[in-house]
Amino acid sequence: MAKCIFIVQGEGRGHLSQSVALKEYLEDAGHSVEALFVGCNNSRPLPDYYRNLFEGKLSCFASPWLVRTPNRKGIYVGRTLLFNLFRTFLYLKEVRRIRQRINALEPDVVFNFYDVVGALALKGVSPSVKRIGVGHHFYLHLDGYRCGGGKVLHKWFLKLHTRAVMKSCDHVLALSFREVPGSEEIRVVPPLVRKQFRETGYEPGSSYLSYLMNEGFVSDMITIARDDPGFQVDLFSDLPTDTPVPPGIRLHPISDKAFMQKMSGCRGLITTAGFDSVAEAVCVGAPLVVVPVKNHFEQRCNSFDVERSGLGIAADNISAEVLQRIRPVDHTIFREWVNRAGEMIINQMGE
């Protein structure tokens, strides 16, 4: 059986969720995850459930992260580039450290969940190690894929990052909401959804559920709650749980089990347009509205794909009018597609 190592981009929570799901698939098939390298920063600490799940195997490393706007609804692309440019020497030290650890552990396979520092480290590992890149961003490099609008420079930088990861891999797996043809370079595979979401049923409730990558969108829900005393939402974010909010808004720390339990009986999910929150909600069967983070080209593309795939609706802001539009969708075909992920990805390890 194969010895595996994960390299995980820590910006946002989606790559963390993907790595948990892949760990489940690998261990069910008799493989092992020997070590995990995760990009960390002090402003967004790793959730406790994630550290506990990989206890004794997890190592943090410095990796590029996004500089957010003061209203916490968007990101600064230029400032993000400059901030990370000044940290280049630190990142290069991490490249050497990760590479040395991988060579010392002698794994059979390394999965890189879209981290550019990890990509540089993989360029110098033993040729006997199979390197597999996992992420939905690779979708941008498929012929015929279109994502309209946004700034050309933002798209160019995202594709540059993606290309750097691709060049460090023997196999590239593009996670996709729907089954479409891949290319000679890219294999299209289903989303990596954790077992608890794949096996959970759904019964509509009276309270919305929300996960927000950028907490600035909480101001939209505060406006709704003030105008409508009957509005109820369970909000999972990095906000302190004692933050003053109207009574209809209940704040929760990031917790995988609590989030899943709330999703199985929510009125609908309100979330920023991260790939994995969408995949989990649709797999469960919850109605969905996504709001892309400003200047975040990837999330803009995700929001287009949500509507293009018939999984939910996309909006620029959260409002009472937007929430009135969300409806349940038939998730049968999507769930069948998701259930093929483990077999398809594990097959790539042997090719």
Side-chain angles (χ1 to χ4, degrees), residues 73 210-212 214 216-224 231 235 270-272 289-291 294 315-323:
K73 287 188 175 183
S210 182
Y211 165 70
L212 299 172
N214 283 34
F217 289 104
V218 174
S219 62
D220 293 349
M221 285 191 278
I222 290 175
T223 299
I224 298 173
F231 175 73
L235 172 60
I270 306 164
T271 183
T272 39
V289 57
V290 298
V291 184
K294 312 299 181 185
D316 292 329
N317 292 288
I318 304 165
S319 67
E321 291 75 20
V322 167
L323 297 182

Side-chain angles (χ1 to χ4, degrees), residues 150-168:
K151 296 183 179 180
V152 174
L153 190 62
H154 296 179
K155 179 179 181 179
W156 185 83
F157 279 125
L158 180 61
K159 294 189 75 171
L160 182 67
H161 181 137
T162 304
R163 180 58 68 180
V165 177
M166 291 172 64
K167 285 184 175 295
S168 71

Side-chain angles (χ1 to χ4, degrees), residues 80-320:
T80 293
L81 293 170
L82 286 174
F83 172 81
N84 289 296
L85 183 63
F86 286 128
R87 290 162 56 93
T88 299
F89 181 72
L90 173 61
Y91 297 149
L92 291 177
K93 287 180 62 177
E94 296 289 55
V95 166
R96 290 192 292 272
R97 182 172 71 90
I98 295 169
R99 182 183 296 155
Q100 289 170 356
R101 287 286 295 136
I102 291 173
N103 285 330
L105 290 167
E106 298 183 335
D108 299 298
V109 184
V110 177
F111 290 93
N112 183 5
F113 294 84
Y114 199 65
D115 190 88
V116 69
V117 170
L120 294 174
L122 288 179
K123 285 183 175 291
V125 301
S126 168
S128 64
V129 177
K130 183 160 292 185
R131 304 163 302 171
I132 300 177
V134 181
H136 56 283
H137 311 72
F138 304 125
Y139 212 83
L140 292 171
H141 292 266
L142 287 176
D143 292 339
Y145 179 74
R146 296 290 179 267
C147 179
K151 296 183 179 180
V152 174
L153 190 62
H154 296 179
K155 179 179 181 179
W156 185 83
F157 279 125
L158 180 61
K159 294 189 75 171
L160 182 67
H161 181 137
T162 304
R163 180 58 68 180
V165 177
M166 291 172 64
K167 285 184 175 295
S168 71
C169 296
D170 302 305
H171 297 288
V172 175
L173 307 180
L175 305 177
S176 171
F177 290 136
R178 60 194 186 280
E179 187 172 8
V180 297
S183 67
E184 183 176 345
E185 192 175 18
I186 301 170
R187 175 76 182 273
V188 174
V189 298
L192 279 164
V193 178
R194 291 170 284 177
K195 183 183 297 185
Q196 59 186 3
F197 289 96
R198 301 196 310 270
E199 297 179 350
T200 296
Y202 173 72
E203 290 291 337
S206 58
S207 180
Y208 290 99
L209 175 65
S210 182
Y211 165 70
L212 299 172
M213 174 183 172
N214 283 34
E215 299 88 352
F217 289 104
V218 174
S219 62
D220 293 349
M221 285 191 278
I222 290 175
T223 299
I224 298 173
R226 286 173 176 167
D227 292 341
D228 179 8
F231 175 73
Q232 300 285 321
V233 62
D234 288 288
L235 172 60
F236 287 76
S237 75
D238 292 323
L239 285 174
T241 54
D242 59 355
T243 302
V245 291
I249 301 176
R250 295 178 292 273
L251 299 177
H252 302 271
I254 301 297
S255 166
D256 61 336
K257 291 183 179 178
F259 187 75
M260 183 273 292
Q261 290 169 354
K262 295 291 185 183
M263 184 180 287
S264 64
C266 69
R267 185 173 177 179
L269 176 66
I270 306 164
T271 183
T272 39
F275 181 88
D276 292 271
S277 296
V278 171
E280 290 169 351
V282 179
C283 204
V284 169
L288 175 71
V289 57
V290 298
V291 184
V293 170
K294 312 299 181 185
N295 295 327
H296 199 307
F297 190 81
E298 173 214 333
Q299 290 217 353
R300 181 181 181 85
C301 295
N302 289 345
S303 66
F304 278 117
D305 280 344
V306 166
E307 294 199 324
R308 185 182 293 131
S309 304
L311 305 180
I313 65 170
D316 292 329
N317 292 288
I318 304 165
S319 67

Side-chain angles (χ1 to χ4, degrees), residues 45-56:
L46 293 175
D48 289 340
Y49 80 85
Y50 193 76
R51 288 185 177 275
N52 294 337
L53 186 64
F54 290 97
E55 187 175 6

